[in-house]
C-alpha cells in the first residue's frame, strides 16, 4: 500500500526542500519506487536540488489541467532508477492546484509508487494545504528557534483538523519531528533551543536531528541530495532518518557536542 508523506513547516527556510529531496532519494536507494512532488507553485526549487531543472518539460499543473500525463511529466533521476520527480510550475498561479486534480494525480501515482513525498510550501496557503490534505505521514521540519517551533505547532493543528483523514474520521496522520540546523555548541550557550525544549513544545516523535553543516549548501548548489554525501554528518543524519522511518532502531546522533580527542584538548586555542 502506497504512503503519502508531506514534508511541512510553518516557517520558510527551514530545509523542507532539502529534506524532501534527501528523504525521497533515501527511500528510492532502499529499493522503494518513490515519487517526489514540488507543491510550491510559482517558486519551484525541488528540481534544482535534485539537479534535473534542465529536463523539465511538463509540470504538476500541466498534469492537473490535462495538458500532459503523469508519465510525460515525471522525471526519472539519473542516479537512481527508483526515484521520479514531479516539478512545480513556475508560471502559474497557486490556485491552479485543486483538491480534485491533486486527488486524481495521487490515485494514479499510488498504482505504481510505494512512497509519494510532497514538498510543501511554507505557511498555510493553498499549496501547503493540498500537500498535506491527502497525507498519511507528516515530517514536521523545524529549526531550534522559538518562532520556527511556534509556527510548526500551528501546522500541527491544521494537520489534525484539515486533512482528508480528519474529515473522514480515519486514523490521524502520523506526525514526526525533524530538527534541522542543530548546533549543540550554540545550544550550550543558550543561543538555540535544545532537542528537549522543542519536544516539550511540540510533543512529537523525534525522527532525527540534522546538524548545521556546510555540506547541505554544497549539495544544494551541485544539484545533489545531501544524503548521497555519505561522508558528511548531514548526509549520515538523513540516512539515519530514512532507516528509522522504515522501522530500524538507530541511536540518535549529532545531539551532543562532539568530544575532542587528547590532541584537540592539548592544542585547542
Amino acid at each position: 500500500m502506497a504512503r503519502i508523506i508531506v514534508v511541512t513547516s510553518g516557517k520558510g527556510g527551514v530545509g523542507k526542500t532539502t529534506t524532501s529531496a534527501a528523504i525521497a532519494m533515501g527511500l528510492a536507494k532502499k529499493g522503494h519506487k518513490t515519487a517526489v512532488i514540488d507543491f510550491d507553485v510559482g517558486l519551484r526549487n525541488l528540481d534544482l536540488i535534485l539537479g534535473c531543472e534542465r529536463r523539465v518539460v511538463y509540470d504538476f499543473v500541466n498534469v492537473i489541467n490535462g495538458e500532459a500525463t503523469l508519465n510525460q511529466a515525471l522525471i526519472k533521476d539519473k542516479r537512481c532508477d527508483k526515484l521520479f520527480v514531479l516539478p512545480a510550475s513556475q508560471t502559474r498561479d497557486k490556485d491552479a492546484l485543486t483538491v480534485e486534480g491533486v486527488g486524481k494525480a495521487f490515485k494514479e501515482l499510488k498504482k505504481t509508487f510505494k512512497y509519494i513525498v510532497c514538498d510543501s510550501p511554507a505557511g498555510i496557503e493553498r499549496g501547503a494545504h493540498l500537500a498535506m490534505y491527502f497525507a498519511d505521514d507528516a515530517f514536521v521540519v523545524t529549526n531550534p528557534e522559538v518562532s520556527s517551533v511556534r509556527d510548526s505547532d500551528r501546522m500541527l493543528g491544521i494537520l489534525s483538523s484539515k486533512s482528508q483523514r480528519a474529515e473522514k474520521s480515519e486514523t490521524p496522520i502520523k506526525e514526526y519531528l525533524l530538527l534541522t540546523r542543530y548546533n549543540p555548541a550554540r545550544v550550550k550557550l543558550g543561543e538555540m533551543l535544545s532537542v528537549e525544549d522543542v519536544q516539550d513544545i511540540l510533543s512529537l516523535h523525534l525522527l532525527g536531528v540534522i546538524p548545521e553543516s556546510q555540506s547541505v549548501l554544497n549539495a544544494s548548489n551541485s544539484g545533489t541530495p545531501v544524503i548521497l554525501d555519505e561522508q558528511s554528518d548531514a548526509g549520515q543524519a538523513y540516512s539515519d532518518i530514512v532507516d528509522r522511518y522504515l522501522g530500524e532502531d538507530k541511536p540518535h546522533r549529532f545531539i551532543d557536542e562532539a568530544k575532542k580527542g587528547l590532541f584537540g584538548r592539548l592544542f585547542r586555542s
Side-chain angles (χ1 to χ4, degrees):
M1 188 69 179
R3 288 196 76 80
I4 298 172
I5 302 167
V6 62
V7 179
T8 186
S9 74
K11 195 168 184 266
V14 298
K16 285 188 303 300
T17 301
T18 294
T19 296
S20 298
I23 296 299
M25 178 61 81
L27 290 168
K29 282 287 188 182
K30 289 283 186 178
H32 304 292
K33 194 172 182 184
T34 304
V36 58
I37 306 173
D38 191 343
F39 272 81
D40 203 352
V41 176
L43 292 170
R44 79 175 187 225
N45 284 309
L46 183 64
D47 53 311
L48 289 169
I49 300 290
L50 285 162
C52 62
E53 69 277 7
R54 294 180 183 175
R55 297 167 59 203
V56 176
V57 178
Y58 295 109
D59 57 52
F60 196 15
V61 175
N62 290 137
V63 172
I64 287 174
N65 290 344
E67 298 159 353
T69 65
L70 274 170
N71 191 51
Q72 288 176 297
L74 285 165
I75 302 169
K76 183 191 283 190
D77 188 87
K78 290 181 177 180
R79 295 151 299 204
C80 181
D81 62 6
K82 295 284 187 182
L83 179 62
F84 291 77
V85 184
L86 184 54
S89 171
Q90 279 187 308
T91 59
R92 306 295 181 97
D93 187 85
K94 295 183 188 299
D95 291 335
L97 297 179
T98 64
V99 174
E100 297 77 16
V102 173
K104 184 179 178 182
F106 278 144
K107 188 176 180 181
E108 190 69 22
L109 287 164
K110 288 170 87 170
K111 293 177 183 177
T112 53
F113 288 92
K114 174 68 175 175
Y115 293 104
I116 302 162
V117 180
C118 305
D119 179 23
S120 172
I124 55 173
E125 44 100 302
R126 187 171 183 79
H129 175 246
L130 286 173
M132 71 177 69
Y133 181 73
F134 296 96
D136 300 304
D137 303 316
F139 289 6
V140 180
V141 183
T142 187
N143 293 156
E145 57 176 46
V146 173
S147 62
S148 182
V149 175
R150 181 195 60 199
D151 288 348
S152 292
D153 200 23
R154 186 180 183 193
M155 293 308 295
L156 293 176
I158 296 171
L159 282 166
S160 64
S161 61
K162 291 192 174 183
S163 68
Q164 186 179 60
R165 284 175 170 269
E167 288 178 2
K168 294 184 176 181
S169 299
E170 295 177 348
T171 306
I173 294 172
K174 286 187 178 179
E175 299 163 344
Y176 302 91
L177 172 64
L178 271 70
L179 193 55
T180 56
R181 294 177 184 161
Y182 195 75
N183 186 325
R186 293 181 64 190
V187 171
K188 195 173 180 180
L189 292 170
E191 296 174 357
M192 281 184 173
L193 298 176
S194 68
V195 172
E196 292 77 16
D197 292 333
V198 176
Q199 285 187 290
D200 283 346
I201 297 168
L202 298 180
S203 300
L204 286 182
H205 174 72
L206 180 67
L207 200 57
V209 173
I210 313 300
E212 204 168 36
S213 175
Q214 180 64 33
S215 61
V216 173
L217 181 60
N218 293 343
S220 297
N221 288 339
S222 65
T224 305
V226 71
I227 197 170
L228 295 179
D229 183 359
E230 297 175 0
Q231 302 305 311
S232 71
D233 48 6
Q236 293 169 30
Y238 275 117
S239 183
D240 287 352
I241 285 168
V242 171
D243 289 341
R244 289 191 198 101
Y245 175 68
L246 293 176
E248 291 188 41
D249 185 15
K250 287 213 162 187
H252 286 281
R253 297 189 278 173
F254 314 112
I255 291 176
D256 300 315
E257 196 170 3
K259 293 180 180 178
K260 292 183 178 180
L262 176 61
F263 188 87
R265 290 197 301 269
L266 288 173
F267 295 96
R268 65 185 177 186
S269 54

